[in-house]
Amino acid sequence: MTTPIQVVVIGGGYAGVTAANRLTTRGDIAVTLVNARPVFVERIRLHQLAGGSDDAVVEYAKVLADGIRLVVDTADRIDRDARTVQLASGAVLGYDYLVYALGSGRAVLEVPGAAEHAHPIADLADAERLRDALAAAGQAAPVAVVGGGPAGIETAAELAEQGRDVVLFCAGPLGPTLHQRARRTVERRLTALGVRIEDGQGSRVTAVTPDAVQLADGRSIPSVVTVWATGFGVPQLARSSGLTTDAIGRLVTDETLTSVDDDRIVAAGDSAAPSGLAVRMSCQAAGPLGGSAADTVLRRIAGEQPAPFVLGFVGLCISLGRRSGIFQFEHRNDTATGVYISGRAGAKVKEVVCWGTVESLVIEARHPGATRLPAAFGDRERRRMLAESDADAGAVSGVGAGAVSGGGELA
């Protein structure tokens, strides 16, 4: 009897689940998915969990293909020489191929007092603690939301719609990646909900106390519950295991998502830095990258040359409470166009996107490979940047010319 090929997927988020499902294309692969929680977390609904309108979790039985082994544990170390993963429980998993899809979480809270008194909203446990803190504080308690990006905007709108007293601190422009027309629409909606917007450099939070936030311009603004919704960090497993990473700890790969250190390790999602040019941390990128990582493994097993990944952005979707939202159309390279859908229609599009993101996992579980993107969907700007880097013989920091040259195959 032939011994199954062992593939371990570390991380059960959008990228990891997509990769695990895609790998079931072959019947001779045994897929093990390692995740710290026994449920799939819908990170794009965590602001709803905090506000009490959704639990933000889905049972793995719904989104994982039959036959995938789920191990609820945490990876502590990768030994690429022995091809093993050491788990926090003490167990050791051997692998023939490893998919590194740990995703992202809270960034280090370096602002004085933030670690002690602020509530991040980057993962399930954070959102649950925030929900409990809001309930304990009471409806009338002033709430400060720090961060003017999508997470901050969504959280501020969700809580303000409930009648809470919310101030949003942006430390710069509101929604910096939004087109100016879309930004004005978001600002009007937040204002209508009662959110007070503090933007510009003076609104940068410099300290957090139990009952206030201190600003760069010297002001102190009351806050019984401070929500920290700015920036994401990644687990340091790759770095601590001696693998090449970028400045924040993402695993550096080539354009086939193969580690520059080991062709038995591929990466996908928020913890991957293809060619040192990481894409925006998002479920919009994680799913396609997870599928491409699995395709690379499948091609290597078949003795074929892996293909560069294909990814192109479509839009930026932000909920503005339960009754409004905005969908900003984007160029493939993740830059804004001036076209967007807002209001109730925007809320419906946002909900369809959230539903469709989970549904794509369900489809991939039942029909592996069904969600592949066509090559024409790729980002031409990325191909241009890679071609220039290749011409400069490895100008991308930490990546050799051989790692970036694969990008030319996308043209």
Side-chain angles (χ1 to χ4, degrees):
M1 183 175 179
T2 304
T3 302
I5 299 166
Q6 299 293 327
V7 182
V8 174
V9 180
I10 306 175
Y14 299 101
V17 169
T18 302
N21 286 335
R22 181 74 58 85
L23 287 164
T24 63
T25 301
R26 289 181 61 119
D28 59 348
I29 295 178
V31 183
T32 300
L33 179 68
V34 180
N35 194 61
R37 295 186 178 279
V39 291
F40 176 81
V41 178
E42 289 189 85
R43 287 189 63 186
I44 53 180
R45 291 194 187 273
L46 288 180
H47 61 288
Q48 289 184 250
L49 190 159
S53 65
D54 200 280
D55 62 7
V57 296
V58 177
E59 294 298 325
Y60 272 120
K62 179 178 179 179
V63 297
L64 275 183
D66 294 339
I68 294 175
R69 175 190 175 201
L70 175 64
V71 175
V72 181
D73 210 329
T74 303
D76 273 355
R77 182 170 176 79
I78 300 166
D79 185 335
R80 63 190 182 95
D81 293 327
R83 293 183 191 161
T84 58
V85 179
Q86 176 77 45
L87 303 183
S89 64
V92 177
L93 297 176
Y95 67 83
D96 295 301
Y97 292 90
L98 178 70
V99 179
Y100 188 89
L102 276 176
S104 61
R106 69 169 75 169
V108 177
L109 305 184
E110 296 179 339
V111 170
E116 296 82 6
H117 307 301
H119 294 271
I121 191 170
D123 61 31
L124 183 66
D126 287 340
E128 290 174 337
R129 283 190 288 267
L130 173 58
R131 177 195 59 197
D132 295 344
L134 288 164
Q139 187 72 14
V143 177
V145 178
V146 183
I153 291 171
E154 290 190 323
T155 304
E158 195 78 21
L159 300 182
E161 193 175 60
Q162 299 175 355
R164 292 185 178 275
D165 177 12
V166 179
V167 184
L168 177 61
F169 299 92
C170 302
L174 173 72
T177 61
L178 291 171
H179 189 278
Q180 59 182 356
R181 291 200 291 270
R183 183 178 299 118
R184 287 194 292 267
T185 297
V186 171
E187 184 175 5
R188 285 195 297 268
R189 175 58 181 169
L190 290 174
T191 301
L193 288 171
V195 177
R196 177 176 143 204
I197 301 170
E198 292 279 352
D199 53 11
Q201 286 301 308
S203 67
R204 180 171 56 86
V205 173
T206 58
V208 181
T209 68
D211 56 6
V213 293
Q214 309 295 326
L215 304 185
D217 61 11
R219 289 179 295 158
S220 178
I221 307 297
S223 174
V224 173
V225 179
T226 298
V227 183
W228 205 264
T230 176
F232 294 98
V234 299
Q236 297 301 299
L237 175 63
R239 178 173 289 168
S240 65
S241 298
L243 296 165
T244 300
T245 64
D246 68 2
I248 70 168
R250 292 174 291 208
L251 182 64
V252 175
T253 74
D254 63 15
E255 288 295 288
T256 73
L257 302 178
T258 304
S259 165
V260 296
D261 302 306
D262 190 334
D263 63 10
R264 295 286 182 137
I265 299 175
V266 300
D270 293 354
S271 284
S275 302
L277 300 172
V279 298
R280 171 164 58 91
M281 294 182 180
S282 63
C283 66
Q284 188 174 175
L289 290 176
S292 293
D295 287 341
T296 288
V297 172
L298 291 169
R299 284 176 176 265
R300 289 196 187 282
I301 292 172
E304 301 170 356
Q305 179 65 31
F309 74 89
V310 174
L311 176 66
F313 284 86
V314 175
L316 178 63
C317 201
I318 302 175
S319 68
L320 299 170
R322 296 299 87 217
R323 297 184 293 276
S324 185
I326 191 163
F327 183 87
Q328 173 183 266
F329 289 91
E330 294 186 321
H331 299 292
R332 291 284 190 262
N333 67 352
D334 199 25
T335 57
T337 71
V339 181
Y340 63 91
I341 302 170
S342 62
R344 289 187 178 275
K348 290 181 179 180
V349 171
K350 168 71 174 182
E351 186 56 34
V352 168
V353 168
C354 291
W355 171 84
T357 301
V358 172
E359 192 62 22
S360 68
L361 300 178
V362 175
I363 293 171
E364 191 73 25
R366 305 296 176 261
H367 308 284
T371 60
R372 282 189 176 90
L373 295 176
F377 194 79
D379 174 8
R380 293 182 180 180
E381 179 66 15
R382 181 180 183 86
R383 296 201 295 266
R384 182 191 63 78
M385 293 172 65
L386 288 166
E388 291 180 355
S389 296
D390 191 33
D392 292 337
V396 177
S397 177
V399 184
V404 298
S405 62
E409 297 177 32
L410 283 171

